[in-house]
Amino acid sequence: MKDVTSLSIDLAKNVFQLHGTDKKGNAVLKKKVSRTKLFEFMVNLNSCNIYMEGCATANYWGREFQKCGHKVKLINPKYVKPYVKRNKNDANDAAAISSASRDPEMRFGEVKTQDQQDMQSMHRFRGLLVRQRTELANQIRGVLSEYGISISQGINNLKTEVKLILAGTADHPHANKLTSELLECLQENHKHLKELDEKVAFYDKKLLSLFKNNEVCQRLETIPGIGVLGATVLASTLGNGGGFKNGRHFAAFLGLTPKQHSSGGKAKLLGISKGGDTYTRTLLIHGARAVLAASSKKNDKLSLWLKRLQIQRGYNKAAVALANKLARIACMVVKEGNKYDLNYKPRFLKAA
């Protein structure tokens, strides 16, 4: 126990596999611990470096271990997989985490604070409700199309049309196409759609409240294309920015940088990697599209760059390129504690 300077933990629901090493990297502890005994074990362990995969419950346990005086680092499970030897089991997984942690070029993640996790959890709940609302709207649209009722795209058009159908207006073109049984089902689904709207609005208000009380969120909102949703989700991901070396590192983390398939000195870049959080990347790209649409009426530095890029590469590539830039800007805004400045220059250039 005293020789353990680094402890790797394979997380699970009820049984946790521990793999401890000394200063030389030799394994001095291999042990299974139940969920009820894990915290007690960590309290009695001398302060050391704790490594875990960045998976379910990692942030909770990371905060608990930090309270015991340990230093905690998270590793992307994709980076651990190559270190698993032969068959996959808990012991080999814990040993793989230990091997990955000793890689001098390994990239580690930071443990989220409870405030960060609160914001992220609200976005997850809201995202689920939005998906359910979209699925229900598509289901209603599909069913009505089977009865010859075609509705224009857009959820607001759907709500308006369904409301008119349920009102039973005599002169409505679709008034007599549906039976009373189907109208009853349509009414129930329309009611459910309204309930989902109310629940989404509830989370919008909660996120707005968090936004107004968070100084980091308000600084992020000064960046073009980033609103309340974008600012809160970026704040929950970035924290204080300490987990990312620079803006490009954060853009790569979100999957906004090109995949590479190079060999023999010939560089070949493909589409973006899409390796990070889809939700955050989607919000950034949607925000970039809004900025791109407004750039045609502006002549500032950013808008002129976007106009040239759109002519050279097309609308979609320009939007993704801007999303990449917004991610980099957001990272540096958080790390340096400044608001967005169109004429920003890195600190090393200012000192030159």
PDB file of all heavy atoms in Angstrom, residues 319-334:
ATOM      1  N   ALA A 319     -19.129  26.773 -43.331  1.00  0.00           N
ATOM      2  CA  ALA A 319     -19.810  26.698 -42.034  1.00  0.00           C
ATOM      3  C   ALA A 319     -19.014  25.837 -41.054  1.00  0.00           C
ATOM      4  O   ALA A 319     -18.857  26.203 -39.872  1.00  0.00           O
ATOM      5  CB  ALA A 319     -21.213  26.137 -42.216  1.00  0.00           C
ATOM      6  N   VAL A 320     -18.499  24.703 -41.512  1.00  0.00           N
ATOM      7  CA  VAL A 320     -17.720  23.818 -40.634  1.00  0.00           C
ATOM      8  C   VAL A 320     -16.391  24.478 -40.253  1.00  0.00           C
ATOM      9  O   VAL A 320     -15.938  24.373 -39.103  1.00  0.00           O
ATOM     10  CB  VAL A 320     -17.484  22.461 -41.310  1.00  0.00           C
ATOM     11  CG1 VAL A 320     -16.552  21.597 -40.473  1.00  0.00           C
ATOM     12  CG2 VAL A 320     -18.804  21.732 -41.522  1.00  0.00           C
ATOM     13  N   ALA A 321     -15.768  25.171 -41.215  1.00  0.00           N
ATOM     14  CA  ALA A 321     -14.515  25.874 -40.922  1.00  0.00           C
ATOM     15  C   ALA A 321     -14.739  26.949 -39.867  1.00  0.00           C
ATOM     16  O   ALA A 321     -13.915  27.145 -38.958  1.00  0.00           O
ATOM     17  CB  ALA A 321     -13.950  26.492 -42.195  1.00  0.00           C
ATOM     18  N   LEU A 322     -15.866  27.648 -39.956  1.00  0.00           N
ATOM     19  CA  LEU A 322     -16.186  28.669 -38.956  1.00  0.00           C
ATOM     20  C   LEU A 322     -16.469  28.026 -37.602  1.00  0.00           C
ATOM     21  O   LEU A 322     -16.065  28.558 -36.560  1.00  0.00           O
ATOM     22  CB  LEU A 322     -17.388  29.492 -39.410  1.00  0.00           C
ATOM     23  CG  LEU A 322     -17.867  30.568 -38.420  1.00  0.00           C
ATOM     24  CD1 LEU A 322     -16.743  31.543 -38.083  1.00  0.00           C
ATOM     25  CD2 LEU A 322     -19.064  31.314 -38.984  1.00  0.00           C
ATOM     26  N   ALA A 323     -17.146  26.876 -37.589  1.00  0.00           N
ATOM     27  CA  ALA A 323     -17.392  26.165 -36.331  1.00  0.00           C
ATOM     28  C   ALA A 323     -16.072  25.791 -35.662  1.00  0.00           C
ATOM     29  O   ALA A 323     -15.926  25.894 -34.435  1.00  0.00           O
ATOM     30  CB  ALA A 323     -18.238  24.918 -36.586  1.00  0.00           C
ATOM     31  N   ASN A 324     -15.103  25.370 -36.459  1.00  0.00           N
ATOM     32  CA  ASN A 324     -13.764  25.067 -35.947  1.00  0.00           C
ATOM     33  C   ASN A 324     -13.155  26.313 -35.312  1.00  0.00           C
ATOM     34  O   ASN A 324     -12.604  26.273 -34.202  1.00  0.00           O
ATOM     35  CB  ASN A 324     -12.890  24.548 -37.094  1.00  0.00           C
ATOM     36  CG  ASN A 324     -11.500  24.150 -36.654  1.00  0.00           C
ATOM     37  OD1 ASN A 324     -10.787  24.923 -36.020  1.00  0.00           O
ATOM     38  ND2 ASN A 324     -11.096  22.943 -37.007  1.00  0.00           N
ATOM     39  N   LYS A 325     -13.263  27.438 -36.009  1.00  0.00           N
ATOM     40  CA  LYS A 325     -12.715  28.696 -35.491  1.00  0.00           C
ATOM     41  C   LYS A 325     -13.424  29.113 -34.198  1.00  0.00           C
ATOM     42  O   LYS A 325     -12.784  29.568 -33.247  1.00  0.00           O
ATOM     43  CB  LYS A 325     -12.850  29.791 -36.555  1.00  0.00           C
ATOM     44  CG  LYS A 325     -12.257  31.139 -36.146  1.00  0.00           C
ATOM     45  CD  LYS A 325     -12.478  32.185 -37.213  1.00  0.00           C
ATOM     46  CE  LYS A 325     -11.558  31.996 -38.388  1.00  0.00           C
ATOM     47  NZ  LYS A 325     -10.149  32.375 -38.056  1.00  0.00           N
ATOM     48  N   LEU A 326     -14.747  28.938 -34.154  1.00  0.00           N
ATOM     49  CA  LEU A 326     -15.502  29.312 -32.953  1.00  0.00           C
ATOM     50  C   LEU A 326     -15.081  28.469 -31.754  1.00  0.00           C
ATOM     51  O   LEU A 326     -15.006  28.963 -30.626  1.00  0.00           O
ATOM     52  CB  LEU A 326     -17.004  29.156 -33.204  1.00  0.00           C
ATOM     53  CG  LEU A 326     -17.637  30.095 -34.242  1.00  0.00           C
ATOM     54  CD1 LEU A 326     -19.123  29.806 -34.381  1.00  0.00           C
ATOM     55  CD2 LEU A 326     -17.402  31.549 -33.882  1.00  0.00           C
ATOM     56  N   ALA A 327     -14.814  27.178 -32.001  1.00  0.00           N
ATOM     57  CA  ALA A 327     -14.360  26.305 -30.913  1.00  0.00           C
ATOM     58  C   ALA A 327     -13.016  26.767 -30.378  1.00  0.00           C
ATOM     59  O   ALA A 327     -12.785  26.801 -29.159  1.00  0.00           O
ATOM     60  CB  ALA A 327     -14.275  24.861 -31.413  1.00  0.00           C
ATOM     61  N   ARG A 328     -12.116  27.158 -31.279  1.00  0.00           N
ATOM     62  CA  ARG A 328     -10.796  27.637 -30.857  1.00  0.00           C
ATOM     63  C   ARG A 328     -10.926  28.942 -30.065  1.00  0.00           C
ATOM     64  O   ARG A 328     -10.274  29.122 -29.026  1.00  0.00           O
ATOM     65  CB  ARG A 328      -9.905  27.861 -32.083  1.00  0.00           C
ATOM     66  CG  ARG A 328      -9.580  26.599 -32.867  1.00  0.00           C
ATOM     67  CD  ARG A 328      -8.596  26.922 -33.962  1.00  0.00           C
ATOM     68  NE  ARG A 328      -8.302  25.762 -34.802  1.00  0.00           N
ATOM     69  CZ  ARG A 328      -7.164  25.589 -35.461  1.00  0.00           C
ATOM     70  NH1 ARG A 328      -6.220  26.500 -35.383  1.00  0.00           N
ATOM     71  NH2 ARG A 328      -6.974  24.518 -36.204  1.00  0.00           N
ATOM     72  N   ILE A 329     -11.769  29.845 -30.565  1.00  0.00           N
ATOM     73  CA  ILE A 329     -11.969  31.114 -29.879  1.00  0.00           C
ATOM     74  C   ILE A 329     -12.547  30.875 -28.486  1.00  0.00           C
ATOM     75  O   ILE A 329     -12.111  31.483 -27.498  1.00  0.00           O
ATOM     76  CB  ILE A 329     -12.905  32.024 -30.701  1.00  0.00           C
ATOM     77  CG1 ILE A 329     -12.224  32.456 -31.999  1.00  0.00           C
ATOM     78  CG2 ILE A 329     -13.297  33.257 -29.894  1.00  0.00           C
ATOM     79  CD1 ILE A 329     -13.143  33.177 -32.972  1.00  0.00           C
ATOM     80  N   ALA A 330     -13.540  29.975 -28.399  1.00  0.00           N
ATOM     81  CA  ALA A 330     -14.179  29.691 -27.108  1.00  0.00           C
ATOM     82  C   ALA A 330     -13.164  29.175 -26.098  1.00  0.00           C
ATOM     83  O   ALA A 330     -13.183  29.570 -24.923  1.00  0.00           O
ATOM     84  CB  ALA A 330     -15.301  28.672 -27.303  1.00  0.00           C
ATOM     85  N   CYS A 331     -12.277  28.312 -26.542  1.00  0.00           N
ATOM     86  CA  CYS A 331     -11.258  27.757 -25.639  1.00  0.00           C
ATOM     87  C   CYS A 331     -10.354  28.860 -25.091  1.00  0.00           C
ATOM     88  O   CYS A 331     -10.082  28.920 -23.895  1.00  0.00           O
ATOM     89  CB  CYS A 331     -10.437  26.698 -26.378  1.00  0.00           C
ATOM     90  SG  CYS A 331      -9.205  25.877 -25.347  1.00  0.00           S
ATOM     91  N   MET A 332      -9.921  29.768 -25.967  1.00  0.00           N
ATOM     92  CA  MET A 332      -9.007  30.817 -25.523  1.00  0.00           C
ATOM     93  C   MET A 332      -9.729  31.877 -24.686  1.00  0.00           C
ATOM     94  O   MET A 332      -9.136  32.468 -23.779  1.00  0.00           O
ATOM     95  CB  MET A 332      -8.336  31.467 -26.738  1.00  0.00           C
ATOM     96  CG  MET A 332      -7.500  30.494 -27.559  1.00  0.00           C
ATOM     97  SD  MET A 332      -6.437  29.405 -26.568  1.00  0.00           S
ATOM     98  CE  MET A 332      -5.345  30.596 -25.810  1.00  0.00           C
ATOM     99  N   VAL A 333     -11.006  32.133 -24.976  1.00  0.00           N
ATOM    100  CA  VAL A 333     -11.788  33.054 -24.157  1.00  0.00           C
ATOM    101  C   VAL A 333     -11.866  32.538 -22.718  1.00  0.00           C
ATOM    102  O   VAL A 333     -11.731  33.304 -21.757  1.00  0.00           O
ATOM    103  CB  VAL A 333     -13.207  33.242 -24.749  1.00  0.00           C
ATOM    104  CG1 VAL A 333     -14.166  33.826 -23.727  1.00  0.00           C
ATOM    105  CG2 VAL A 333     -13.153  34.149 -25.976  1.00  0.00           C
ATOM    106  N   VAL A 334     -12.061  31.227 -22.566  1.00  0.00           N
ATOM    107  CA  VAL A 334     -12.138  30.634 -21.227  1.00  0.00           C
ATOM    108  C   VAL A 334     -10.774  30.618 -20.552  1.00  0.00           C
ATOM    109  O   VAL A 334     -10.634  30.983 -19.383  1.00  0.00           O
ATOM    110  CB  VAL A 334     -12.727  29.210 -21.308  1.00  0.00           C
ATOM    111  CG1 VAL A 334     -12.611  28.506 -19.963  1.00  0.00           C
ATOM    112  CG2 VAL A 334     -14.183  29.261 -21.745  1.00  0.00           C
TER     113      VAL A 334
END
